[in-house]
Amino acid sequence: MLLFLGFLFPLPEGLKRRPREPLLFSFLQELSVALYRHLLGLQESEGSLDQPAAGKDLNLLCCDIDPVLIERAQQCSPFPASISFANLDIMDPSAREPFLSSYLGRFGRSTFDIGFCMSVTMWIHLNHGDSGLLEFLSFLSSLCQYLLIEPQPWKCYRAAARRLRKLGRNDFDHFRSLAINGDMAARITQILTKDCAMELVCCFGSTSWDRSLLLFKSNSPNHEGRESSEQEQ
């Protein structure tokens, strides 16, 4: 099974990240390892640098736009043979396409079984506008058979804009012109189901940050064909 875990925090200049770096690093590294242990049924004491859960065919790719966080996660990973950390700007086709194609090719695959998109959509939206968000969701739907996504609500957009203004800077370039707004969980669900050939499988409620956790499944013929062929093998 192949899993893709995406973390992207493209903060603009002025919104300093340094005070939050330990928290973000912990979130990236600990969540990926916890997810890996959970899926394999491993206890906290099981698995080490020398014993990456032998015999379990599970691989996890974790991406972030910050090379410092990725370097720290690589250094601290207890499962380096199975959990890969990569510095990647997912919105740069010239970077993402050869990298992901090469990674998937190692396993004879063209897509991941499941992707996890956690606290990402707002930053993509603010930095790349409505068209960027649509491109991002379309790309994710083509990349994964299943997609678990945690959209930030609209109040988080306003809070990010306020923080920027307090620093004496202008709003995000796209903030005032975003036509996709309001109930972001509903808007993203609509985009994925109507435009990206996915169906909503389950809404797992809200996190402690009041963010919905939404699980989607691809209805793309390419994904369905691959799934059927793997089951026959």
Side-chain angles (χ1 to χ4, degrees):
M1 177 180 286
L2 290 178
L3 296 89
F4 174 75
L5 189 63
F7 298 84
L8 294 169
F9 296 85
L11 300 183
E13 184 180 354
L15 280 184
K16 297 299 184 181
R17 188 169 188 178
R18 187 164 303 279
R20 295 180 62 218
E21 279 183 355
L23 174 60
L24 292 177
F25 160 66
S26 176
F27 182 60
L28 171 66
Q29 199 267 345
E30 291 184 10
L31 179 59
S32 57
V33 172
L35 174 64
Y36 185 79
R37 290 185 187 277
H38 174 74
L39 292 174
L40 292 182
L42 294 175
Q43 299 299 316
E44 186 68 26
S45 60
E46 293 183 87
S48 67
L49 290 172
D50 301 319
Q51 182 191 354
K56 302 295 186 178
D57 188 18
L58 178 66
N59 293 276
L60 179 60
L61 173 64
C62 308
C63 298
D64 193 280
I65 201 169
D66 190 327
V68 176
L69 297 185
I70 289 298
E71 182 179 5
R72 292 178 183 175
Q74 289 171 335
Q75 293 171 350
C76 298
S77 174
F79 303 105
S82 300
I83 304 179
S84 301
F85 295 94
N87 172 220
L88 181 67
D89 181 354
I90 204 70
M91 295 303 292
D92 181 358
S94 65
R96 77 187 182 205
E97 291 174 5
F99 174 78
L100 293 174
S101 177
S102 175
Y103 179 85
L104 288 165
R106 289 162 45 192
F107 306 95
R109 298 284 293 277
S110 60
T111 59
F112 292 89
D113 291 292
I114 185 169
F116 298 83
C117 179
M118 317 301 288
S119 300
V120 172
T121 53
M122 178 184 73
W123 298 114
I124 296 291
H125 203 185
L126 287 172
N127 283 278
H128 298 275
D130 288 335
S131 61
L133 178 64
L134 293 172
E135 175 195 343
F136 176 63
L137 295 175
S138 176
F139 174 70
L140 286 182
S141 69
S142 70
L143 186 67
C144 308
Q145 173 68 25
Y146 287 88
L147 174 64
L148 183 67
I149 192 165
E150 179 199 27
Q152 288 108 317
W154 188 249
K155 66 180 181 181
C156 292
Y157 286 65
R158 295 196 299 265
R162 283 196 301 271
R163 291 200 301 272
L164 207 58
R165 288 194 295 271
K166 286 181 179 179
L167 292 169
R169 299 192 57 207
N170 295 326
D171 280 332
F172 292 91
D173 291 340
H174 299 279
F175 179 63
R176 298 292 180 182
S177 62
L178 296 178
I180 301 173
N181 53 44
D183 187 340
M184 293 307 300
R187 298 301 299 273
I188 285 174
T189 296
Q190 181 182 38
I191 293 166
L192 288 172
T193 55
K194 294 188 178 300
D195 302 331
C196 300
M198 301 199 88
E199 64 175 290
L200 179 62
V201 176
C202 183
C203 176
F204 294 102
S206 299
T207 68
S208 58
W209 290 351
D210 194 28
R211 299 176 185 176
S212 300
L213 281 175
L214 308 170
L215 178 65
F216 295 87
K217 179 183 179 181
S218 175
N219 287 324
S220 167
N222 292 335
H223 283 155
E224 291 176 356
R226 182 185 62 77
E227 187 178 38
S228 299
S229 64
E230 288 184 352
Q231 290 174 349
E232 292 171 358
Q233 292 177 357

Short mmCIF file of all heavy atoms in Angstrom, two decimals, residues 204-231:
data_model
loop_
_atom_site.label_atom_id
_atom_site.label_comp_id
_atom_site.label_asym_id
_atom_site.label_seq_id
_atom_site.Cartn_x
_atom_site.Cartn_y
_atom_site.Cartn_z
N PHE A 204 -15.89 12.66 8.98
CA PHE A 204 -15.55 12.16 10.31
C PHE A 204 -15.77 13.21 11.40
O PHE A 204 -15.22 13.10 12.49
CB PHE A 204 -14.09 11.70 10.33
CG PHE A 204 -13.83 10.50 9.46
CD1 PHE A 204 -13.23 10.64 8.23
CD2 PHE A 204 -14.21 9.23 9.87
CE1 PHE A 204 -12.98 9.55 7.41
CE2 PHE A 204 -13.97 8.12 9.07
CZ PHE A 204 -13.36 8.28 7.83
N GLY A 205 -16.57 14.23 11.11
CA GLY A 205 -16.81 15.26 12.11
C GLY A 205 -15.74 16.32 12.05
O GLY A 205 -15.11 16.53 11.02
N SER A 206 -15.50 17.00 13.17
CA SER A 206 -14.55 18.11 13.20
C SER A 206 -13.42 17.84 14.19
O SER A 206 -13.61 17.16 15.20
CB SER A 206 -15.26 19.41 13.59
OG SER A 206 -16.26 19.73 12.65
N THR A 207 -12.26 18.40 13.88
CA THR A 207 -11.13 18.31 14.78
C THR A 207 -11.30 19.34 15.90
O THR A 207 -12.23 20.13 15.91
CB THR A 207 -9.82 18.59 14.03
OG1 THR A 207 -9.81 19.98 13.63
CG2 THR A 207 -9.70 17.72 12.80
N SER A 208 -10.35 19.34 16.83
CA SER A 208 -10.40 20.31 17.93
C SER A 208 -10.21 21.74 17.42
O SER A 208 -10.52 22.70 18.13
CB SER A 208 -9.32 19.98 18.97
OG SER A 208 -8.03 19.99 18.37
N TRP A 209 -9.73 21.89 16.19
CA TRP A 209 -9.59 23.21 15.57
C TRP A 209 -10.81 23.56 14.74
O TRP A 209 -10.78 24.51 13.97
CB TRP A 209 -8.34 23.24 14.69
CG TRP A 209 -7.06 23.21 15.46
CD1 TRP A 209 -6.91 23.33 16.80
CD2 TRP A 209 -5.74 23.06 14.92
NE1 TRP A 209 -5.59 23.26 17.14
CE2 TRP A 209 -4.84 23.09 16.01
CE3 TRP A 209 -5.23 22.90 13.65
CZ2 TRP A 209 -3.47 22.97 15.85
CZ3 TRP A 209 -3.86 22.77 13.48
CH2 TRP A 209 -2.99 22.81 14.57
N ASP A 210 -11.88 22.81 14.89
CA ASP A 210 -13.13 23.05 14.16
C ASP A 210 -12.93 22.92 12.65
O ASP A 210 -13.45 23.71 11.87
CB ASP A 210 -13.72 24.43 14.50
CG ASP A 210 -15.17 24.58 14.05
OD1 ASP A 210 -15.87 23.56 13.98
OD2 ASP A 210 -15.59 25.71 13.76
N ARG A 211 -12.20 21.90 12.25
CA ARG A 211 -11.98 21.62 10.84
C ARG A 211 -12.55 20.24 10.51
O ARG A 211 -12.31 19.28 11.23
CB ARG A 211 -10.49 21.68 10.49
CG ARG A 211 -9.88 23.04 10.75
CD ARG A 211 -8.39 23.05 10.49
NE ARG A 211 -7.80 24.33 10.86
CZ ARG A 211 -6.49 24.59 10.82
NH1 ARG A 211 -5.66 23.66 10.42
NH2 ARG A 211 -6.05 25.78 11.18
N SER A 212 -13.27 20.16 9.41
CA SER A 212 -13.86 18.90 8.99
C SER A 212 -12.79 17.95 8.45
O SER A 212 -11.82 18.37 7.83
CB SER A 212 -14.92 19.14 7.90
OG SER A 212 -15.95 19.98 8.37
N LEU A 213 -13.01 16.66 8.67
CA LEU A 213 -12.18 15.62 8.08
C LEU A 213 -13.06 14.86 7.08
O LEU A 213 -14.03 14.21 7.47
CB LEU A 213 -11.64 14.66 9.14
CG LEU A 213 -10.43 15.13 9.96
CD1 LEU A 213 -10.11 14.11 11.05
CD2 LEU A 213 -9.22 15.33 9.05
N LEU A 214 -12.70 14.94 5.81
CA LEU A 214 -13.54 14.42 4.74
C LEU A 214 -12.78 13.35 3.95
O LEU A 214 -11.66 13.58 3.51
CB LEU A 214 -13.96 15.54 3.79
CG LEU A 214 -14.60 16.77 4.45
CD1 LEU A 214 -14.74 17.89 3.43
CD2 LEU A 214 -15.95 16.41 5.05
N LEU A 215 -13.40 12.19 3.77
CA LEU A 215 -12.79 11.11 3.02
C LEU A 215 -13.50 10.96 1.67
O LEU A 215 -14.72 10.80 1.62
CB LEU A 215 -12.87 9.79 3.79
CG LEU A 215 -12.29 8.57 3.08
CD1 LEU A 215 -10.77 8.72 2.88
CD2 LEU A 215 -12.59 7.28 3.85
N PHE A 216 -12.72 11.00 0.60
CA PHE A 216 -13.24 10.88 -0.75
C PHE A 216 -12.65 9.65 -1.43
O PHE A 216 -11.54 9.22 -1.12
CB PHE A 216 -12.91 12.12 -1.58
CG PHE A 216 -13.57 13.38 -1.10
CD1 PHE A 216 -12.96 14.16 -0.12
CD2 PHE A 216 -14.79 13.79 -1.61
CE1 PHE A 216 -13.55 15.32 0.34
CE2 PHE A 216 -15.40 14.94 -1.15
CZ PHE A 216 -14.79 15.71 -0.18
N LYS A 217 -13.40 9.11 -2.39
CA LYS A 217 -12.93 8.00 -3.22
C LYS A 217 -13.04 8.39 -4.68
O LYS A 217 -14.03 9.00 -5.08
CB LYS A 217 -13.76 6.74 -2.96
CG LYS A 217 -13.35 5.55 -3.82
CD LYS A 217 -14.23 4.34 -3.59
CE LYS A 217 -13.79 3.19 -4.48
NZ LYS A 217 -14.66 1.99 -4.30
N SER A 218 -12.03 8.03 -5.46
CA SER A 218 -12.03 8.36 -6.87
C SER A 218 -12.97 7.44 -7.65
O SER A 218 -12.99 6.22 -7.43
CB SER A 218 -10.62 8.26 -7.44
OG SER A 218 -10.63 8.47 -8.85
N ASN A 219 -13.73 8.03 -8.55
CA ASN A 219 -14.55 7.26 -9.48
C ASN A 219 -13.96 7.24 -10.88
O ASN A 219 -14.62 6.86 -11.84
CB ASN A 219 -15.97 7.85 -9.54
CG ASN A 219 -16.77 7.57 -8.29
OD1 ASN A 219 -16.63 6.50 -7.70
ND2 ASN A 219 -17.59 8.52 -7.86
N SER A 220 -12.72 7.68 -10.99
CA SER A 220 -12.05 7.73 -12.28
C SER A 220 -11.90 6.33 -12.85
O SER A 220 -11.49 5.40 -12.14
CB SER A 220 -10.68 8.38 -12.14
OG SER A 220 -9.91 8.19 -13.30
N PRO A 221 -12.20 6.13 -14.14
CA PRO A 221 -12.01 4.80 -14.75
C PRO A 221 -10.58 4.31 -14.64
O PRO A 221 -10.34 3.11 -14.50
CB PRO A 221 -12.40 5.04 -16.22
CG PRO A 221 -13.30 6.22 -16.19
CD PRO A 221 -12.79 7.10 -15.07
N ASN A 222 -9.61 5.21 -14.69
CA ASN A 222 -8.21 4.80 -14.57
C ASN A 222 -7.93 4.19 -13.21
O ASN A 222 -7.27 3.17 -13.09
CB ASN A 222 -7.29 6.01 -14.79
CG ASN A 222 -7.33 6.51 -16.21
OD1 ASN A 222 -7.65 5.76 -17.13
ND2 ASN A 222 -7.02 7.79 -16.40
N HIS A 223 -8.47 4.81 -12.15
CA HIS A 223 -8.28 4.27 -10.81
C HIS A 223 -9.00 2.96 -10.64
O HIS A 223 -8.49 2.00 -10.06
CB HIS A 223 -8.77 5.28 -9.77
CG HIS A 223 -7.84 6.42 -9.55
ND1 HIS A 223 -8.25 7.64 -9.08
CD2 HIS A 223 -6.50 6.53 -9.75
CE1 HIS A 223 -7.19 8.44 -8.98
NE2 HIS A 223 -6.14 7.79 -9.39
N GLU A 224 -10.24 2.88 -11.14
CA GLU A 224 -11.02 1.66 -10.99
C GLU A 224 -10.38 0.50 -11.73
O GLU A 224 -10.35 -0.63 -11.27
CB GLU A 224 -12.45 1.91 -11.48
CG GLU A 224 -13.24 2.85 -10.60
CD GLU A 224 -14.61 3.17 -11.16
OE1 GLU A 224 -14.90 2.71 -12.28
OE2 GLU A 224 -15.38 3.88 -10.49
N GLY A 225 -9.83 0.80 -12.92
CA GLY A 225 -9.18 -0.25 -13.68
C GLY A 225 -7.95 -0.78 -12.98
O GLY A 225 -7.69 -1.98 -12.96
N ARG A 226 -7.16 0.14 -12.40
CA ARG A 226 -5.96 -0.28 -11.69
C ARG A 226 -6.31 -1.10 -10.47
O ARG A 226 -5.69 -2.12 -10.17
CB ARG A 226 -5.13 0.95 -11.27
CG ARG A 226 -3.84 0.57 -10.55
CD ARG A 226 -3.11 1.81 -10.03
NE ARG A 226 -3.91 2.52 -9.07
CZ ARG A 226 -4.08 2.12 -7.80
NH1 ARG A 226 -3.52 0.99 -7.38
NH2 ARG A 226 -4.80 2.84 -6.97
N GLU A 227 -7.37 -0.69 -9.74
CA GLU A 227 -7.78 -1.40 -8.54
C GLU A 227 -8.20 -2.81 -8.88
O GLU A 227 -7.86 -3.78 -8.21
CB GLU A 227 -8.91 -0.63 -7.86
CG GLU A 227 -9.30 -1.20 -6.51
CD GLU A 227 -10.39 -0.38 -5.85
OE1 GLU A 227 -11.30 0.09 -6.56
OE2 GLU A 227 -10.34 -0.23 -4.61
N SER A 228 -8.96 -2.97 -9.97
CA SER A 228 -9.43 -4.30 -10.38
C SER A 228 -8.28 -5.20 -10.78
O SER A 228 -8.24 -6.38 -10.43
CB SER A 228 -10.41 -4.17 -11.54
OG SER A 228 -11.54 -3.40 -11.17
N SER A 229 -7.32 -4.65 -11.53
CA SER A 229 -6.19 -5.45 -11.98
C SER A 229 -5.34 -5.92 -10.80
O SER A 229 -4.82 -7.03 -10.80
CB SER A 229 -5.32 -4.66 -12.97
OG SER A 229 -4.74 -3.54 -12.34
N GLU A 230 -5.20 -5.06 -9.76
CA GLU A 230 -4.42 -5.46 -8.59
C GLU A 230 -5.12 -6.55 -7.81
O GLU A 230 -4.51 -7.45 -7.25
CB GLU A 230 -4.17 -4.25 -7.70
CG GLU A 230 -3.17 -3.28 -8.31
CD GLU A 230 -2.87 -2.14 -7.38
OE1 GLU A 230 -3.54 -2.04 -6.34
OE2 GLU A 230 -1.97 -1.35 -7.68
N GLN A 231 -6.47 -6.51 -7.74
CA GLN A 231 -7.19 -7.52 -7.02
C GLN A 231 -7.09 -8.89 -7.71
O GLN A 231 -7.14 -9.93 -7.08
CB GLN A 231 -8.66 -7.11 -6.89
CG GLN A 231 -8.86 -5.94 -5.94
CD GLN A 231 -10.30 -5.45 -5.94
OE1 GLN A 231 -11.12 -5.84 -6.77
NE2 GLN A 231 -10.61 -4.58 -4.99
#
